[in-house]
Amino acid sequence: MKIAASFLDIKEPKMEELKYLDSLDIDYIHLDVMDGIFVENKTYTYEEFYDITRFTTKPKDIHLMVSDVKKYIDEFAQMKPKFITFHYEAVSEVSSVINYIKELGIGVGISIKPTTDVSEVVKYLPYLDLILVMSVEPGRGGQAFIEESIKKIEQLYTLREKENYHYQIEVDGGINNETIKKCNKADICVVGSYITRQDYKEAIRKLRD
Ligand code: DX5
Ligand code: ZN
């Protein structure tokens, strides 16, 4: 299981803390981008994100929780991330956004909220590099894991086996050393507050156990 560390709630001084987190046994740095429209909270501007993350070395996993998807794709593509994931619920032209990210040579992901069923995105699955199952309502860290997400992960796992799709299955929200075990069919776990609220190194060791 790969770990994507979310630094949404990281302590101050953010740049130094993130640099330390980046040096540990994690696979991706997960960037939560919120616009105050698609979700209530608002995070940094692209320039601020660039500044905070400029000393990190791990591949970047961008999670766009925004309405004006193309504007943010254009900005974050400059970081040359591994993945850019947008919310299925945020756009009407899902296929065109998938192609837009693909043409930039970046891994493309779509994310589904806890209330969105896997059946709604089935037709896009052959074209995806990643599918992100939100296991909390998007918008903030530190919420409790929604158990129904497990079923979605398993559905996506079965579909991939059956149809020979290539996407990675990612789960985001409420992941700790207990809930991670229930997500064993996922490939990547996003972990925020479980890491940032304790000794980072110790938290990662417990997640890996
Ligand atoms: C929530 C974000 C998550 C968040 C996870 O909308 O997408 O990535 O940082 O935080 P925890 O692990 O605390 O639920
Ligand atoms: Zn996220």
Side-chain angles (χ1 to χ4, degrees):
M1 173 87 73
K2 291 192 167 163
I3 296 176
S6 159
F7 63 97
L8 188 63
D9 297 320
I10 207 163
K11 313 187 262 270
E12 297 284 352
K14 290 194 195 312
M15 216 195 276
E16 283 75 41
E17 289 290 317
L18 183 57
K19 207 172 153 186
Y20 171 59
L21 179 60
D22 178 76
S23 74
L24 302 173
D25 180 24
I26 58 165
D27 301 283
Y28 301 103
I29 295 278
H30 180 87
L31 279 75
D32 287 303
V33 185
M34 305 183 192
D35 64 353
I37 301 166
F38 181 71
V39 290
E40 227 171 85
N41 283 327
K42 203 174 164 148
T43 45
Y44 313 106
T45 62
Y46 172 71
E47 288 72 24
E48 289 165 336
F49 264 117
Y50 175 80
D51 200 50
I52 296 167
T53 58
R54 76 195 137 110
F55 296 118
T56 59
T57 59
K58 299 277 160 51
K60 294 184 184 71
D61 173 35
I62 314 277
H63 179 192
L64 298 180
M65 286 163 275
V66 303
S67 286
D68 192 354
V69 170
K70 282 198 176 159
K71 168 183 171 259
Y72 286 85
I73 294 169
D74 288 340
E75 289 181 341
F76 283 88
Q78 300 172 68
M79 281 188 180
K80 304 206 182 314
K82 173 79 178 169
F83 302 109
I84 294 184
T85 298
F86 64 96
H87 267 269
Y88 162 74
E89 302 86 358
V91 297
S92 47
E93 296 288 312
V94 178
S95 296
S96 110
V97 181
I98 290 175
N99 291 331
Y100 193 73
I101 298 174
K102 259 186 202 279
E103 279 161 20
L104 293 165
I106 297 167
V108 57
I110 64 177
S111 179
I112 53 171
K113 287 188 187 185
T115 47
T116 303
D117 216 72
V118 168
S119 63
E120 291 186 51
V121 295
V122 158
K123 65 174 175 192
Y124 306 112
L125 295 179
Y127 312 104
L128 297 179
D129 300 304
L130 185 137
I131 173 100
L132 170 52
V133 175
M134 284 306 297
S135 41
V136 298
E137 201 51 50
R140 59 188 173 85
Q143 305 179 74
F145 179 81
I146 297 171
E147 300 281 331
E148 284 76 44
S149 322
I150 303 164
K151 210 176 72 204
K152 289 189 190 176
I153 295 169
E154 286 170 357
Q155 263 177 294
L156 288 162
Y157 183 90
T158 309
L159 276 166
R160 182 174 63 188
E161 292 284 283
K162 187 164 157 253
E163 307 289 346
N164 228 345
Y165 295 148
H166 72 278
Y167 54 77
Q168 301 276 294
I169 304 167
E170 183 173 49
V171 57
D172 182 2
I175 300 295
N176 56 41
N177 63 329
E178 293 302 325
T179 52
I180 196 171
K181 295 178 199 156
K182 303 179 184 176
C183 302
N184 64 336
K185 291 266 190 315
D187 306 291
I188 309 170
C189 268
V190 178
V191 192
S193 57
Y194 181 72
I195 295 177
T196 56
R197 284 182 189 168
Q198 60 178 308
D199 181 84
Y200 304 167
K201 201 171 180 176
E202 179 63 7
I204 295 162
R205 191 192 60 74
K206 287 191 272 185
L207 289 165
R208 295 270 185 217
D209 260 358

